[in-house]
Amino acid sequence: MAEGIANDPTIFTIPSNRAFADSLARGLIDRFGADPLGLARGRILLPNNRAVRTLTEAFVRESGAGLLLPRLIPVGDPELDERIGGALDNAEDDVLVPRAIDPTERLLALAGFVGRGGKGAAESLRLAADLARALDALRIEEIDPARLAEAVAEADDIAGHWQKSLAELQAILRFWPEILSERGAIDLAERRNVLLHRIAERWRDKPPPGFTIAAGITTAAPAIAALQAQVARMPGGEVVLPGLWLDDVLPTAEWDALGPDDRGRIEANHPQFHLKVLLDRLGVNRSEVRAWPATAGAESPTRRARAVANAMTAPAFSHKWETLMRAERQLDNVRLAEFPDAAAEAQGIALALREALETPGRTAALVTPDRQLAARVSALLQRWGIEADDSAGQALSQSPAGSLLLALAAAAAEEFAPVALLTLLKHPLVGGAGEDRLQWLDSVRALDRALRGPRPAAGLSGLDRHFKDKKVEREWARVRPSVEPLGGMFAKPLDLAALVARLAGGADALAGERAWSGPDGRMIAELLGEWQALPAASSLMVASDDAIPLLRQLLDRHSLRPPYGKHPRIFIWGLLEARLQRADLVIMGGLNEGIWPALPTPDPWLPPRVRADLGMPTLESRIGLTAHDFASALGAPEVLITRARRDSRSPTVASRLWLRLRAVDPDLALDEMLPRLAIAIDDPGKAEPASQPAPIPTLDQRPKEISVTDVDRLKADPFAFYAKAIIRLRPLDPIDQDPTAAWKGTAVHDVLETWFKEDDCDLDTLIPRARAMLKQEAVHPLLRALWQPRLMDAIDWVIGEMASDREAGRNPIAAEIKGSAVIAGVELTGKADRIDRNASGALAVVDYKTGKAPTLATIAEGFALQLGLLGLIAQAGGFAGLDGIPEQFEYWSFAGGGKRVAADKKIDGFLNHARGHFDKAAGDWLTGMRPFQAKLEPRYAYGDYDQLMRLEEWYGRN
């Protein structure tokens, strides 16, 4: 054995019922803290940077005063050689280890390789991310490509798509080293392996001065295991494992049964399996592991730890649940809570966290892999002004600056479609601040109203014409210069570097310095600069459909965590963060299948069989790690475990971990109060439904003017008329709305009006005008394809009817003509679609309907009075320049190829019929004091104001 190597390994464990980081810090302070420089002479190897932060905070808590910390080295750090210090110095034969390729540079390079088959940029990037994980997994396990080829050859019966993926993966493994060599770099995983092996070799020959501790590292990757094996056996070296169950918790028979057995079978989903694999690679027997000195005593192990081990036992030993003594199955200070849905679960967790603050100094943490649940709880805590310390931070795509970048890309990619454009213009970073922001929003609101209805033509030129027609040129002129940099962005092929440059220019034009201020803005500014500088960014071509998903993938690789301002006693941890920390109350949320444990991440490159043959971590291994995290969290002083019986789509299935706890301890406490509180906190009490509205405005508030089209509304739904005419509320069309029946009716009316006024109803010009209308930019191609045949049939019918009328001496004399007359003390106004003069000199009033005409029964009941009221105006001489007695009243329906309906058929005295109904309606509601009751005649009422009248609360009860 080389000089400086101890014979026996020194390995400790800190049980789950003790906070790992605090116990480690306490033990080291007790041992080395007497000397002011004692701790500073040592080094601690930790799994990642988050563990470094956690242990640093633990030293601060445990010391109570200032102290010099040991060197804290995350073995997963890209700059491991710098963090390790002089361990790699002063070696004559040392060869400089190449730099690690930048992760984004590697991702883009792999995306270019994957995308050679014609895949889009976003799909290529997604597959490249999966490919990068597969390459890393092979590097971490130090699997030679030859072994992969052998495993593939042995698995010749796998599906064809796997064979294709494996062939492509092997090709990449052949060419990828050459690509890296050209860049003077290697993969980060490979570089870390080289450095770790080099450190282990150096320490084998010359152990470093002071103490060296590998703490909290549970991965059994060969390079890390080799380093830990060296640390455990050298002078001053120790390995400290988290939550290893010794034989007083997990009997030897159950430990040995984890495998592998003579047939190679393993229990990879057991929470201790990965630690067994690690100990095997370290060459250590579990009996050689000791309790960390700072945790030894009556508390370790606890009765709860044995109960947890019994609950998590391998299937072959689960029969012992039937015979376990009460003391071996009781989970003290652990309770369950079931909620009806995910919203109630989040509310209940927030209440439990808030309650913990009532005890001075008490800490509480939510541990969950469900980021949606964590976000809900964080938002609910803000009700009490609590900003939870969320270790995961915020995805950069969800930050203000990140969402601005995505909004810019969306507006450019969709060629300023209404929703994308308004999303960008209303972004909180856009338009300046203070008075400038208010003026900006005034202009944007005007554009918002103008964009209601069907989508205008694409691009800036389409918006120019649309806003000119809507008479909002002044407001558009204020906004247009700021969005011009985005115009025509995808008119020609665009690479990622050019896309980033254009988006940065758009952000400057719209938001100025506000786009780059704050932590998120500064981070994005740095990322944009890095992306532009990467050579692969100039070769990755981005289409308009790829821009948003591509940018989102790139932004989601980074998260933003504010360094201060969070609550010091309320935390939200993911599973990684919870491994080394402890709170007085630990809440494990989302205990449903698919969350605990999580659904497996699909690997499109390595089939499960090949992974198993190569000895790589499998799905069962990941389940085992999740089970270990779960078992470790159960060691907290108080534990609350929650689940929702439903998610947003369907009933849920309780996690297998939840079911195991219920099986081992049927008397496990079920919290029934917390779900009731979660529901009650926002319960408004007994609902008092609204009654049917019937406002009674004063006589001077009632209008003395009414349109012929509003009389039917007044009679059928007086409240709707009240809302429109008296309180002047108008329903707004949705933004980017599909063309409605009303829009199609207006378009047809415009064609027929222009045909009369410009062509004098020339029968040869109507079809060309109809075709020109169908070619307008506002007519979607699908609408054109579906509507054109029916419309042209109706146009042919109109031409035939007009020809017949002309032969009979009937000719149009007015179109879309407005008129008015005072009737029953009220000014009645209206617009006639067309008025003809018969051979006798009498008038015929025509109303166009793109749909079906009203039935004769409806007309007889007095709920289709428009033609009769127009006739009354004509009778009173209310249409300027027209004289004559109206004698014919017709609906020209374009439905079904065209149909002419005589409105006065079977109604003697048609004008007197209309006058009688109008006189009564005017006398009741316009010159009288009758209440404007809602839905007086529901059969003929519309739904524009149903929400305002709270229809659902009273309709059907009165």
Side-chain angles (χ1 to χ4, degrees), residues 295-594:
T295 64
E299 289 186 280
S300 180
T302 63
R303 182 172 62 179
R304 192 199 302 175
R306 288 190 291 272
V308 171
N310 288 327
M312 299 295 163
T313 192
F317 296 90
S318 60
H319 63 274
K320 70 179 183 179
W321 291 344
E322 300 176 359
T323 58
L324 282 176
M325 301 295 291
R326 172 66 177 163
E328 294 178 306
R329 67 194 315 158
Q330 188 172 4
L331 292 163
D332 301 320
N333 295 323
V334 176
R335 55 195 169 105
L336 308 177
E338 276 191 301
F339 297 86
D341 52 47
E345 182 185 12
Q347 184 67 78
I349 292 172
L351 283 168
L353 293 172
R354 174 65 182 85
E355 182 185 23
L357 294 181
E358 294 299 309
T359 302
R362 183 173 171 82
T363 58
L366 166 63
V367 179
T368 181
D370 185 349
R371 288 304 307 163
Q372 185 176 12
L373 176 63
R376 276 181 162 176
V377 172
S378 181
L380 289 168
L381 285 172
Q382 294 178 11
R383 149 184 306 202
W384 300 291
I386 299 171
E387 291 284 345
D389 188 355
D390 190 345
S391 61
Q394 181 186 47
L396 197 55
S397 62
Q398 298 176 5
S399 69
S403 62
L404 173 61
L405 194 69
L406 293 174
L408 289 162
E414 298 182 31
E415 297 185 87
F416 303 108
V419 173
L421 175 64
L422 292 174
T423 299
L424 175 61
L425 298 181
K426 294 179 181 181
H427 192 280
L429 295 181
V430 171
E435 189 64 30
D436 290 340
R437 171 73 175 172
L438 294 177
Q439 294 177 3
W440 175 271
L441 290 178
D442 286 341
S443 298
V444 172
R445 291 188 187 101
L447 300 181
D448 183 316
R449 290 190 292 271
L451 288 171
R452 301 281 168 168
R455 176 184 296 194
L460 291 173
S461 58
L463 291 176
D464 291 340
R465 295 191 296 272
H466 180 78
F467 290 137
K468 182 178 180 181
D469 293 341
K470 297 293 184 178
K471 297 180 173 51
V472 289
E473 302 100 318
R474 182 173 60 85
E475 291 82 359
W476 176 232
R478 174 181 173 82
V479 170
R480 194 184 195 281
S482 298
V483 299
E484 282 180 1
L486 303 176
M489 184 179 294
F490 295 96
K492 58 182 180 180
L494 192 68
D495 60 61
L496 178 60
L499 171 65
V500 166
R502 293 286 299 272
L503 292 178
D508 283 330
L510 280 159
E513 294 182 359
R514 290 165 57 85
W516 319 114
S517 62
D520 56 331
R522 291 190 291 271
M523 181 181 290
I524 284 183
E526 293 176 3
L527 289 175
L528 294 183
E530 292 174 4
W531 297 345
Q532 282 185 272
L534 294 175
S538 299
S539 58
L540 185 65
M541 305 308 294
V542 184
S544 59
D545 293 342
D546 290 323
I548 300 170
L550 178 74
L551 287 172
R552 190 179 298 279
Q553 289 181 63
L554 290 172
L555 290 175
D556 282 343
R557 293 168 52 83
H558 306 270
S559 59
L560 189 69
R561 188 177 187 273
Y564 56 86
K566 301 299 183 180
H567 200 284
R569 295 196 282 137
I570 298 295
F571 311 97
I572 298 177
W573 294 330
L575 302 188
L576 285 173
E577 293 76 24
R579 289 176 186 175
L580 304 182
Q581 303 178 82
R582 181 69 72 245
D584 298 321
L585 169 65
V586 169
I587 303 174
M588 287 185 279
L591 260 291
N592 288 324
E593 281 294 303

Side-chain angles (χ1 to χ4, degrees), residues 35-363:
D35 181 355
L37 298 178
L39 288 171
R41 295 190 181 100
R43 64 208 55 79
I44 303 176
L45 306 181
L46 295 164
N48 50 45
N49 285 305
R50 283 174 285 192
V52 170
R53 183 174 63 244
T54 299
L55 186 56
T56 301
E57 294 170 351
F59 271 115
V60 172
R61 287 192 298 270
E62 295 295 329
S63 66
L67 78 166
L68 294 175
L69 295 180
R71 185 188 295 272
L72 304 180
I73 305 163
V75 295
D77 193 283
E79 305 298 335
L80 179 62
D81 46 351
E82 295 182 8
R83 301 293 290 265
I84 201 67
L88 297 174
D89 296 341
N90 304 321
E92 296 180 359
D93 298 331
D94 268 355
V95 177
L96 183 65
V97 180
R99 71 175 181 89
I101 187 172
D102 178 81
T104 305
E105 181 183 3
R106 180 176 79 148
L107 186 65
L108 295 180
L110 290 174
F113 194 97
V114 172
R116 293 177 183 176
K119 301 180 182 68
E123 177 65 9
S124 298
L125 193 71
R126 186 188 67 79
L127 288 173
D130 292 330
L131 174 59
R133 283 190 287 270
L135 292 175
D136 286 343
L138 293 169
R139 297 294 190 199
I140 289 171
E141 295 298 325
E142 300 183 8
I143 295 174
D144 189 275
R147 283 187 59 202
L148 176 63
E150 293 173 2
V152 172
E154 294 174 359
D156 56 356
D157 59 339
I158 60 176
H161 71 281
W162 281 122
Q163 294 178 6
K164 182 178 179 181
S165 295
L166 286 167
E168 190 170 359
L169 176 61
Q170 292 182 84
I172 292 171
L173 285 172
R174 287 195 299 271
F175 294 113
W176 184 239
E178 299 177 10
I179 297 173
L180 291 175
S181 178
E182 293 174 359
R183 299 171 187 262
I186 59 177
D187 282 328
L188 174 60
E190 183 179 1
R191 186 174 194 274
R192 189 182 296 125
N193 286 345
V194 171
L195 292 174
L196 291 173
H197 282 302
R198 186 171 294 185
I199 293 167
E201 293 171 1
R202 183 66 49 78
W203 285 353
R204 181 181 300 113
D205 298 330
K206 185 180 180 181
F211 65 86
T212 303
I213 295 177
I217 304 173
T218 60
T219 177
I224 296 178
L227 178 60
Q228 290 199 89
Q230 175 58 36
V231 169
R233 292 175 171 85
M234 69 186 189
E238 299 172 358
V239 172
V240 185
L241 299 176
L244 175 68
W245 294 344
L246 301 179
D247 56 6
D248 53 357
V249 175
L250 185 67
T252 302
E254 295 186 36
W255 172 265
D256 293 339
L258 297 181
D261 60 12
D262 296 337
R263 296 184 179 181
R265 293 177 298 187
I266 59 176
E267 291 291 345
N269 55 5
H270 191 277
Q272 295 289 295
F273 175 76
H274 66 291
L275 292 175
K276 188 175 190 300
V277 173
L278 176 59
L279 289 180
D280 290 343
R281 290 190 177 181
L282 295 180
V284 174
N285 190 284
R286 187 177 62 148
S287 61
E288 298 178 85
V289 181
R290 294 171 286 167
W292 181 247
T295 64
E299 289 186 280
S300 180
T302 63
R303 182 172 62 179
R304 192 199 302 175
R306 288 190 291 272
V308 171
N310 288 327
M312 299 295 163
T313 192
F317 296 90
S318 60
H319 63 274
K320 70 179 183 179
W321 291 344
E322 300 176 359
T323 58
L324 282 176
M325 301 295 291
R326 172 66 177 163
E328 294 178 306
R329 67 194 315 158
Q330 188 172 4
L331 292 163
D332 301 320
N333 295 323
V334 176
R335 55 195 169 105
L336 308 177
E338 276 191 301
F339 297 86
D341 52 47
E345 182 185 12
Q347 184 67 78
I349 292 172
L351 283 168
L353 293 172
R354 174 65 182 85
E355 182 185 23
L357 294 181
E358 294 299 309
T359 302
R362 183 173 171 82
T363 58

Side-chain angles (χ1 to χ4, degrees), residues 790-807:
R790 297 194 298 271
L791 176 62
M792 298 313 297
D793 286 346
I795 292 296
D796 288 339
W797 173 81
V798 169
I799 293 173
E801 293 297 307
M802 294 288 287
S804 297
D805 285 348
R806 284 182 177 177
E807 291 178 4

Side-chain angles (χ1 to χ4, degrees), residues 176 475 586 601 607 666 724 784 869 898 956:
W176 184 239
E475 291 82 359
V586 169
T601 302
K724 177 183 178 183
R784 183 181 301 119
L869 297 176

